[in-house]
């Protein structure tokens, strides 16, 4: 607990260290490089802590690319589904490697990257993935994410030195990863052997408790040696899973056929993926007193989920919503003008440091 | 067309005038007051234009309340699903009326409002609505939105002078509105007759072409006279429907079994409701050349929808996505770090004036 005004996101560095040490172990044993995926987590106040454990960042836009280059440093990969003409020169100024999503983009911008000596890659879409959710499945029908035709990919070999293959999504099953990587080897191996580097993207949940890290490391090393390529991973959620909470306060308790606690936050504004993917927040589940925990926006479905507490809830009680680091702060918004959560960091010595507050002026200037 | 850098939201004042004049007509004929619902549209650069046609604003949070009070003026209604202790005094400083969501909130804060002479109300939930979408249905089971028990409502009569009843959602069917209002009269009429004012909320699509505005006006006047109450409406979408577009540029055209045009925007970041409600953007539909129009984020389902054009699309072409005023700018976000659309206003003389640009510094300071 702290005296900060709720709501706020609280990043716990002691928990972050656990993930970082697993990443470092994987890097050392496998030889693979690990780049933080900024699309998932870009709270740059944590970068000083994370930097020693990781190799750099990867990005999905010019702004993420610049943030990674300027605030994280080390190796910076530039990817975007589509670069604009007016962005590309600035992007090349930040990038160590640039990964184009399509042959069309490579044709359009490759000469400029080449002139600056920047290594180029393409996104390879293997046409399968571990995603069970159509919305997030990069291999969905007519996916615009990457090239999948081998002759087309081959036609770029004179220009590219690597590919990025992103096809995992919260995949905590090593055997599935192993089988799919074997499928990639079988289908694309001849092509991969002509490259210098392969990024296997993000979505591998290898920092989870019980994940067979050694098997993953050895598999990655074998892949690297088989094709003579440097391997990259792009952990987003795996980097920061279970390291932050969203701290909220109960504002009202109502009893409309169910006990509902209304808190000073909102899924749509502050944990948007719960709404998009129709998921439930990680809430306390111990005790005899059951409540639905709901947000304070006008949205009828602004519901974090069902929870249990040891004591009846009352106005002013604090609730900690777990696992609030990934895809939360990067997509928070001003829906309903609800006060935006501050961002705070719990140091390893227990001190809590607020690194950003949001004010009425921030709300007002989000519009015009 | 204009030379502004895409993406940008473009608010067209000539179109906005059409809606405003319909609102003014309704106010004059019905005697009802119309308050802009800021949760839908809060782009305050347009307030000078809108102010003469409307009576003020209503809000869903402290920040919206303050914005309405300071930038729109006139009558300001304060509503929030739940006020926090630290907000209430500031809120009372901006409010002409305050509407509490629950008896619990009225009990907690009513004395403070009363001491300042501010009229109070409660939200009445009639337990039915026109919403066909559970997520947005204020009458869904265990809804936390308002009180519905007549004895509980009656117990507040010594403190409140009105109620807010929000139960319509994009309802363009006057007969349905009429029937549901009759049901409210039948179920709650005895209670309503003891009040001074009734807000019927938002969600009535009365500015749409062909809507029987006279019948609505006469029905509202009859309701007002029957119960001796002042009537309020809270048009959000109705105020700004069809008055803005999102202007984007094609960055890439790919052919993965379908012709897909990738543009410099994103449904999740810039038109979030398309994603939340699994809807399709209003795109051009004329011509022999069919394309899927998709956004540039990493989300596989970042798809605006299917469109048709007179000519084949090429990189650099502009596309105008219609009906982009409501629930767009108020919930835009920095997902993927995609460049946030500027906000521009087309004056009635055709001049386009950019009122807000968003920069890398805005992105960076959205985090910390």
């Amino acid at each position: 607990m702290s005296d900060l005004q709720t709501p706020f996101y609280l990043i716990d560095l002691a928990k972050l260290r656990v993930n970082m040490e697993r990443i470092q172990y994987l890097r050392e044993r496998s030889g693979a490089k690990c780049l933080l995926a900024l699309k998932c987590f870009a709270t740059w106040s944590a970068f000083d802590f994370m930097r020693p454990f990781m190799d750099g960042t990867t990005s999905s836009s010019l702004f993420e690319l610049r943030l990674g280059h300027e605030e994280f440093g080390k190796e910076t990969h530039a990817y975007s589904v589509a670069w604009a003409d007016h962005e590309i020169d600035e992007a090349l100024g930040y990038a160590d490697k640039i990964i184009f999503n399509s042959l069309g983009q490579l044709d359009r911008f490759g000469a400029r990257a080449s002139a600056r000596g920047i290594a180029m890659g393409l996104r390879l879409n293997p046409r399968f993935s571990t995603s069970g959710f159509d919305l997030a499945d990069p291999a969905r029908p007519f996916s615009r994410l990457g090239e999948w035709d081998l002759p087309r990919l081959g036609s770029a070999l004179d220009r590219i030195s690597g590919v990025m293959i992103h096809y995992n999504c919260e995949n905590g099953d090593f055997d599935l990863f192993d089988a799919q990587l074997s499928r990639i080897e079988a289908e694309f191996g001849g092509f991969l052997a002509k490259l210098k580097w392969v990024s296997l993207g993000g979505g591998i949940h290898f920092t989870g408790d019980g994940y067979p890290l050694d098997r993953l490391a050895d598999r990655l090393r074998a892949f690297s040696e088989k094709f003579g390529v440097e391997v990259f991973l792009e952990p987003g959620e795996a980097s920061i899973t279970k390291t932050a909470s969203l701290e909220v306060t109960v504002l009202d308790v109502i009893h409309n056929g169910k006990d509902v606690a209304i808190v000073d936050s909102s899924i749509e504004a502050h944990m948007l993926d719960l709404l998009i993917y129709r998921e439930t927040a990680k809430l306390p589940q111990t005790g005899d007193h059951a409540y639905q925990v709901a947000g304070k926006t006008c949205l009828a479905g602004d519901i974090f989920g069902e929870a249990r507490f040891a004591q009846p809830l009352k106005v002013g009680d604090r609730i900690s919503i777990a696992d609030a680091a990934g895809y939360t702060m990067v997509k928070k918004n001003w829906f309903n003008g609800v006060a935006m959560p501050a961002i705070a960091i719990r140091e390893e010595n227990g001190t809590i440091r607020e690194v950003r507050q949001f004010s009425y002026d921030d709300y007002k200037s989000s519009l015009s």
Side-chain angles (χ1 to χ4, degrees), chain A:
Chain A
M1 293 285 175
S2 82
D3 296 333
L4 299 182
Q5 179 68 60
T6 60
F8 59 93
Y9 300 101
L10 179 60
I11 301 165
D12 188 318
L13 295 189
K15 293 177 181 170
L16 186 55
R17 178 178 292 280
V18 174
N19 294 348
M20 290 294 107
E21 288 181 344
R22 289 176 184 175
I23 288 175
Q24 187 174 38
Y25 178 82
L26 181 79
R27 290 165 61 217
E28 288 169 358
R29 182 169 174 124
S30 70
K33 288 186 168 178
C34 287
L35 306 174
L36 175 65
L38 296 176
K39 65 184 176 183
C40 173
F41 180 84
T43 307
W44 40 273
S45 297
F47 288 178
D48 281 348
F49 185 86
M50 302 170 84
R51 189 180 302 107
F53 302 96
M54 302 190 73
D55 294 287
T57 58
T58 189
S59 52
S60 51
S61 68
L62 176 63
F63 287 174
E64 284 187 359
L65 170 62
R66 180 173 170 187
L67 188 76
H69 173 73
E70 293 185 351
E71 298 297 324
F72 199 105
K74 302 181 83 168
E75 183 158 352
T76 306
H77 281 204
Y79 169 74
S80 171
V81 169
W83 300 100
D85 288 4
H86 67 90
E87 293 178 330
I88 193 70
D89 286 326
E90 185 182 350
L92 292 171
Y94 306 131
D96 293 302
K97 289 188 174 70
I98 187 163
I99 299 159
F100 295 107
N101 182 66
S102 71
L103 260 183
Q105 286 258 305
L106 175 64
D107 289 343
R108 192 169 187 90
F109 300 124
R112 288 204 240 180
S114 177
R116 297 175 71 141
I118 292 167
M120 289 183 277
L122 270 175
R123 178 166 180 170
L124 187 166
N125 187 327
R127 304 189 88 162
F128 56 83
S129 83
T130 70
S131 178
F133 210 98
D134 188 51
L135 194 57
D137 182 4
R140 66 189 263 154
F142 315 121
S143 170
R144 74 206 192 292
L145 299 172
E147 296 282 351
W148 53 46
D149 182 62
L150 263 176
R152 282 174 63 87
L153 286 160
S155 75
L157 269 174
D158 58 334
R159 290 173 286 171
I160 66 171
S161 55
V163 290
M164 184 268 277
I165 316 173
H166 176 61
Y167 61 106
N168 287 279
C169 183
E170 297 187 25
N171 179 12
D173 177 350
F174 171 74
D175 291 324
L176 176 60
F177 172 80
D178 181 28
Q180 290 197 336
L181 189 58
S182 297
R183 191 169 157 189
I184 286 173
E185 291 176 332
E187 293 183 23
F188 299 98
F191 173 70
L192 299 183
K194 297 172 185 165
L195 300 173
K196 292 183 180 164
W197 55 272
V198 174
S199 169
L200 295 172
I204 310 167
H205 201 60
F206 65 87
T207 55
D209 292 337
Y211 191 92
L213 211 51
D214 285 350
R215 292 180 68 198
L216 176 65
D218 297 345
R219 183 69 180 87
L220 294 174
R221 183 173 288 281
F223 176 85
S224 168
E225 290 171 354
K226 182 171 181 180
F227 298 101
V229 292
E230 185 174 27
V231 172
F232 291 88
L233 297 182
E234 301 176 357
E237 185 65 40
S239 300
I240 47 69
T241 189
K242 295 186 179 173
T243 65
S245 58
L246 176 59
E247 301 292 318
V248 302
T249 297
V250 175
L251 299 181
D252 196 9
V253 179
I254 60 172
H255 314 279
N256 284 335
K258 189 176 226 177
D259 292 334
V260 179
I262 298 170
V263 300
D264 56 357
S265 180
S266 154
I267 61 168
E268 179 161 0
H270 307 155
M271 295 190 87
L272 179 56
D273 276 9
L274 298 182
L275 180 57
I276 292 175
Y277 295 102
R278 315 308 199 221
E279 289 177 346
T280 291
K282 291 177 181 159
L283 293 161
Q285 297 297 344
T286 308
D288 294 334
H289 302 275
Y291 291 85
Q292 181 180 83
V293 176
K296 60 165 285 182
T297 69
C298 64
L299 181 74
D302 187 1
I303 297 167
F304 285 93
E306 307 297 323
R308 304 190 73 85
F309 301 90
Q311 305 291 333
L313 287 181
K314 59 185 190 308
V315 173
D317 284 350
R318 265 276 283 280
I319 299 176
S320 185
I321 301 171
D323 219 358
Y327 297 104
T328 54
M329 290 171 260
V330 294
K331 50 173 87 174
K332 62 188 164 44
N333 62 75
W334 286 108
F335 178 54
N336 266 215
V338 174
M340 192 169 272
I343 301 174
I345 292 179
R346 181 186 279 131
E347 307 284 357
E348 289 183 288
N349 66 11
T351 309
I352 290 177
R353 176 168 58 97
E354 191 174 64
V355 294
R356 181 78 165 94
Q357 272 188 326
F358 297 92
S359 66
Y360 172 75
D361 289 337
D362 290 309
Y363 164 67
K364 187 178 174 189
S365 71
S366 77
L367 296 162
S368 68

